[in-house]
């Protein structure tokens, strides 16, 4: 019985060593590394792609903010000009002043629509 127990113990150790050695060979094999390196490349591509998308979104957002700021500035300038033109001049009678006010109101509305249209056109073109 003692001999059988020794043989079982020896064969068990040899089997365990072979399994351990086989596992380490499989881990070190190039076939296994190719799939992990491919996965690493895919992960790197996804990370780079996401970074590029984030940068593009940030640039688009900055461009939109710049366009909005330009639009507000144009509107501010137009509103200041409109206020100056709406005031009565010292050499002007009431009838001429009211006529000039009507013309100025129409011109001001048209200018504001143009500014809004330009901003809308810029947004449309920036999306393409």
């Amino acid at each position: 019985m003692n001999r059988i127990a020794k043989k079982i113990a020896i064969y068990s150790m040899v089997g365990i060593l072979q399994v351990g050695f086989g596992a380490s060979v499989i881990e070190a094999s190039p076939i296994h590394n190719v799939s992990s390196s491919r996965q690493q490349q895919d992960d790197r591509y996804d990370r780079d792609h996401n970074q590029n998308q984030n940068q593009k979104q940030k640039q688009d957002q900055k461009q939109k903010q710049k366009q909005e700021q330009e639009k507000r500035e144009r509107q501010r300038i137009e509103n200041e000009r409109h206020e100056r033109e709406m005031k009565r001049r010292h050499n002007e009678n009431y009838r001429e002043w009211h006529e000039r006010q009507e013309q100025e109101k129409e011109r001001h509305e048209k200018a504001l629509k143009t500014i809004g249209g330009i901003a809308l056109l810029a947004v449309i073109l920036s999306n393409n």
Side-chain angles (χ1 to χ4, degrees), residues 1 10 15 34-35 39 48 55 69 74 76 78 106-107 113 115 117:
M1 180 86 172
I10 290 173
V34 168
S35 65
Q39 183 179 6
D48 293 344
Q55 287 175 351
Q69 186 178 11
R74 280 189 244 127
R76 184 189 63 78
E78 171 59 25
E106 291 173 8
R107 193 215 149 285
K113 286 179 183 177
I115 291 170

Side-chain angles (χ1 to χ4, degrees), residues 6-125:
K6 286 181 183 179
K7 287 183 182 182
I8 291 174
I10 290 173
Y11 287 126
S12 297
M13 286 177 160
V14 170
I16 290 171
L17 287 173
Q18 284 181 345
V19 169
F21 181 70
S24 64
V25 168
I26 290 172
E27 282 292 319
S29 70
I31 295 171
H32 183 72
N33 286 341
V34 168
S35 65
S36 67
S37 68
R38 185 175 297 144
Q39 183 179 6
Q40 289 174 352
Q41 288 174 350
D42 290 344
D43 291 345
R44 191 176 310 126
Y45 172 77
D46 290 341
R47 186 175 56 247
D48 293 344
H49 182 70
N50 289 339
Q51 286 177 350
N52 290 340
Q53 287 291 339
N54 290 341
Q55 287 175 351
K56 184 172 174 28
Q57 287 175 350
K58 287 179 184 178
Q59 288 175 349
D60 290 345
Q61 190 176 25
K62 285 180 183 179
Q63 186 177 12
K64 287 178 184 179
Q65 288 175 347
K66 183 179 177 184
Q67 290 171 350
E68 279 294 318
Q69 186 178 11
E70 289 174 358
K71 178 184 173 184
R72 284 191 300 266
E73 180 65 19
R74 280 189 244 127
Q75 285 177 337
R76 184 189 63 78
I77 291 169
E78 171 59 25
N79 287 336
E80 288 174 357
R81 192 203 64 75
H82 177 68
E83 283 187 33
R84 279 193 314 270
E85 292 296 320
M86 291 300 282
K87 292 180 182 175
R88 184 172 177 221
R89 299 185 182 138
H90 64 30
N91 62 349
E92 202 171 33
N93 65 26
Y94 281 105
R95 189 176 59 93
E96 292 172 343
W97 178 48
H98 286 293
E99 287 176 6
R100 191 171 54 80
Q101 277 184 330
E102 289 299 319
Q103 292 172 354
E104 175 56 29
K105 284 178 187 176
E106 291 173 8
R107 193 215 149 285
H108 179 68
E109 289 175 9
K110 185 177 179 182
L112 289 180
K113 286 179 183 177
T114 302
I115 291 170
I118 290 171
L120 181 62
L121 181 63
V123 168
I124 291 171
L125 292 177

